[in-house]
Structures are given as structure tokens and as C-alpha cells.
Amino acid sequence: MATVTELQNRVDHLEALLRERDRKRVEEQAAALAAQQATDAAKDAEARAMAAAAEREQIRRGAWLSHLLGQSATDAPVDFAAMGQQVPATGWPPGADESNYVFTGGTLPKEPDVANTALGRTLASLTKTI
Amino acid sequence: MTKLDSITTATATPVRGDISPSLHPDSILPFGQTLATDDSPLTAAAFTAGRHALKALYETQAAMEQASLATRAKYGSGAVVDGSSIHAALPDDRAAQLAADLGDAFSRVARQFDLHVSNVTETIGTLTASIDRALQPKSRDAVTAQNLSDLRKFIADKPDGQRLDWVHQQIASGDLEVAHAVLGSNPFVSGMTREDQKLMRDLAAKTFALKEHAALTAATQMYEHLQKASQIFVARYKIIAPVVKPSAHAAAIANLKKSA
């Protein structure tokens, strides 16, 4: 028959195993959370970069159109479609550069309200009917 | 490896016994035969989006079930019968925590699901437009318009019992001009009803835009399946998410704000 010390040792051993299991689980959860946060941060940074690039491109095109309008004859009809095609793919119009403009970082795409998603609407309808 | 194989491998999801099979990405596998083809990146993308939408629902529900089960096993006491299920009662603080976590997961999956489903609906729109283009006359000159008008008069003059059958035969045998005539104007001009015209449109799509029609049918059925899956997911969420009653403190603050 096992002595009290032996039983205590077994309990200690089992408790140590449980502690180890809990520690591993918490570590895994922490790693998963850190990975999720890193992914979210990367996505956020990418969205910001895209918004800033879109704003810069919009202002650059606007600057070119303004330049082309200034060059065209004042009494001639303006063909905006044709003018839009004359805007070069890169670069700024003569006499202008990025320092002439204020960039606000663009508009970030807004995440839809959960209530307006398909799942949100279904949940709302269930809540009303039950 | 075929396109279908590569998509199914990339979105493979382990099967669980406690989640409805309608939520599993493999439940839309039959549509993959039509949609996930090498020569149509558009429909392949829609099929991939459908798989991702279901994968998001399936994995989120698995995580929700696990969280609910683990919380109730650890902190649950007694049994609660709330009309829809019997489960272990949770202390208020644990119920609030579980409800918040499940709500957070719900919000995330709701946005992901919408994003993927929007891809499917866009594809349905593109396929519909593509079929519309295939069923419209290529030339719009006066001679063509006059021909089509004459055809409509000819069809309208046919006896009621023979009209639809005749049009059906002509379209089925590949007469695109008859299809242009009956589909390009109000159905009543050709002596048909709106339902008749819809039937003839379907037949013409099958005849003159077979591939697009098959893809549209598969994409539409897949979209309907996604809607059903979302309803199953939400119904289950409603059962496992604990109902959190506002604390006495929160209720008192709300009353104070109301009376202010």
C-alpha cells in the first residue's frame, strides 16, 4: 500500500502536469493573439498606405488638369475626357510638386456596421420574432 | 492539379460532428464543377469566395461552441431551461464575458461573410449582364428594327395555343432573331405574358449562352445556399450566446439618464 508521502508525490506530479498543460495553453493563446494583432496592424497599415496613395493620385491628376486647362484657349470648348487622357501616368505638372499641397492621409474605408451585415439583419429578425 | 482541387485544398476545413454540415465549405462542392474552371477566373473567384464565407462561419461556430462548452463546464451550475435549450447556468460576470466574446466573434465573421458574399453577388451581376449582351441584337439599324417588329407581329398573330410552342421551337433550334424579337420588347407586343417571356429568356440563355447560363445557375444556387447557412449560423449563435441582464447599477444609471 502506498504511503502518504508516495501519494503526495503523485498528487504533486499530477498538479505539475496540469500546471504545465495550462501554461502551454496560455502560451499558445498568447501567441495566437499576438499573431492576430500583428495581422490586424499590418492590414491597418496597408489600408492607410492605400488611402494615402489614392489621395496623392487624385491631387496629382487634379494638378495636371488645372495645368492643362490653363494652357488651353479660353474661348475653345473643353473636352474633359480627352484632357483626362493627356495626364501623364507619373510626375507633377511644370512648376508644381508635392510640397504645394497638403495631404491628409486620405479617407480610410469604413467598416460596415454589424447591424447592416447579412448576419446582423438575420439576428435582428430572429430577435424580433422570438 | 485542377483549379477545383487547388481551391478545395486551400480552403480545406476539418469536419466536426457538432456543427451543421450545411455550414461546411464542402457543402458547395457540387457547384465547383461548374464554377471552378481554368478558363473562367471570375466564376472561380466567386466559388473561392463562397468557400471562404462558409469556412469563416464553420470555424467561428466551432470556436463559439468550444468557448461556450468550456465556460459552462468550468463555471456552470444547475440547469436553465430557456425555451430553446437546456444548459448550465452561468454566474453573471462569466455570462457577460462569454456574451462579449461571442459577440466579438460574431461581429468579425459578419463582416468577413458580407465581404465574401459581395464577391458572389457581383459575379452573378456580371454573368447576368453577359447573358443580356448575348441575347441582344448586335446591330441596331432601321432594317433590323423593322425585321424584329415584323417578327413580333407575326408571333402575335399566331393562335394562342400555338404561339408559345412555335417560339419555343424556333429558339431551341437556334433562331437567334426570334429570341431578339420576343426578348427585346414588351412581351405583350408579341402576344405573350411576362411569365412566357421569362421562360423564353431562360431557354434562349441555355441555347445561346450555355456556359454563362450554367455558371449563373450554379452561382445563384450557391448564393442561396450561403443565405441558408448564414441563417443556421445565426440561429445557433442565438441559442449559445447567454442572455445578459443589465446589472442593478447599469439599470440605475440608465434610469437616471432617462429622467435627466
Side-chain angles (χ1 to χ4, degrees):
Chain A
M1 192 172 169
T3 63
V4 173
T5 315
E6 281 172 346
L7 288 172
Q8 186 58 50
N9 284 343
R10 284 184 200 172
V11 170
D12 289 347
H13 177 65
L14 285 173
E15 281 183 347
L17 283 177
L18 284 173
R19 274 198 300 276
E20 180 62 14
R21 193 194 65 180
D22 285 350
R23 188 184 62 77
K24 274 187 184 166
R25 194 171 57 197
V26 170
E27 276 180 2
E28 279 169 11
Q29 282 174 348
L33 186 65
Q36 183 63 46
Q37 282 172 346
T39 311
D40 290 349
K43 273 186 192 166
D44 191 42
E46 191 189 349
R48 283 177 194 283
M50 280 173 69
E55 184 201 29
R56 184 181 175 282
E57 179 60 12
Q58 193 182 11
I59 291 177
R60 190 188 70 83
R61 288 188 69 82
W64 267 108
L65 287 175
S66 176
H67 171 74
L68 293 170
L69 271 173
Q71 281 193 327
S72 61
T74 50
D75 54 347
V78 179
D79 184 353
F80 282 103
M83 204 173 267
Q85 287 172 353
Q86 288 173 31
V87 173
T90 55
W92 292 80
D97 59 41
E98 289 188 40
S99 64
N100 298 111
Y101 303 95
V102 176
F103 297 92
T104 60
T107 312
L108 280 172
K110 206 176 164 188
E111 279 207 322
D113 187 6
V114 180
N116 291 331
T117 62
L119 296 185
R121 283 193 295 271
T122 310
L123 182 62
S125 69
L126 277 180
T127 310
K128 274 178 199 163
T129 52
I130 287 175
Chain B
M1 188 184 256
T2 64
K3 189 92 179 168
L4 180 59
D5 288 339
S6 61
I7 293 172
T8 49
T9 308
T11 50
T13 310
V15 177
R16 289 173 57 118
D18 57 344
I19 298 176
S20 168
S22 297
L23 262 61
H24 196 275
D26 284 353
S27 60
I28 54 168
L29 212 48
F31 306 125
Q33 304 289 347
T34 311
L35 297 173
T37 52
D38 287 322
D39 58 344
S40 178
L42 180 78
T43 56
F47 180 66
T48 309
R51 295 262 311 174
H52 277 299
L54 286 179
K55 188 177 169 67
L57 288 186
Y58 199 83
E59 289 181 344
T60 304
Q61 189 170 323
M64 282 179 170
E65 298 283 355
Q66 207 170 341
S68 171
L69 207 64
T71 309
R72 290 182 199 283
K74 195 163 183 181
Y75 304 104
S77 60
V80 173
V81 183
D82 66 1
S84 57
S85 64
I86 302 172
H87 49 75
L90 284 175
D92 283 351
D93 58 335
R94 294 294 165 187
Q97 182 63 52
L98 180 61
D101 290 346
L102 295 185
D104 188 41
F106 185 90
S107 306
R108 263 183 285 126
V109 79
R111 291 192 181 103
Q112 282 176 22
F113 185 80
D114 262 21
L115 199 65
H116 294 309
V117 170
S118 68
N119 191 323
V120 177
T121 49
E122 273 172 28
T123 302
I124 289 174
T126 309
L127 287 168
T128 308
S130 175
I131 291 173
D132 284 345
R133 271 199 306 278
L135 299 181
Q136 275 171 6
K138 299 284 177 286
S139 56
R140 292 182 172 276
D141 54 277
V143 178
T144 310
Q146 185 59 49
N147 278 344
L148 295 181
S149 176
D150 290 347
L151 250 175
R152 279 191 283 272
K153 191 172 180 319
F154 176 76
I155 293 166
D157 288 344
K158 282 206 163 285
D160 284 349
Q162 295 174 17
R163 189 180 301 118
L164 202 60
D165 193 39
W166 186 85
V167 174
H168 186 282
Q169 279 177 10
Q170 300 311 309
I171 293 177
S173 62
D175 193 330
L176 188 57
E177 216 171 2
V178 172
H180 288 161
V182 295
L183 302 176
S185 72
N186 193 300
F188 304 116
V189 180
S190 314
M192 294 162 74
T193 63
R194 290 196 194 284
E195 287 72 30
D196 293 340
Q197 193 186 41
K198 205 175 159 193
L199 276 174
M200 291 306 109
R201 191 187 183 285
D202 199 47
L203 174 68
K206 267 187 212 164
T207 311
F208 303 112
L210 179 62
K211 209 171 144 194
E212 287 86 351
H213 180 266
L216 179 63
T217 307
T220 308
Q221 286 173 352
M222 184 174 78
Y223 174 78
E224 285 163 4
H225 181 93
L226 292 176
Q227 296 305 310
K228 279 181 197 152
S230 74
Q231 286 166 4
I232 293 170
F233 174 85
V234 173
R236 184 65 194 149
Y237 167 78
K238 189 138 182 20
I239 290 170
I240 59 174
V243 179
V244 183
K245 291 174 193 153
S247 66
H249 166 75
I253 294 288
N255 280 338
L256 186 67
K257 281 181 183 168
K258 250 188 230 171
S259 60

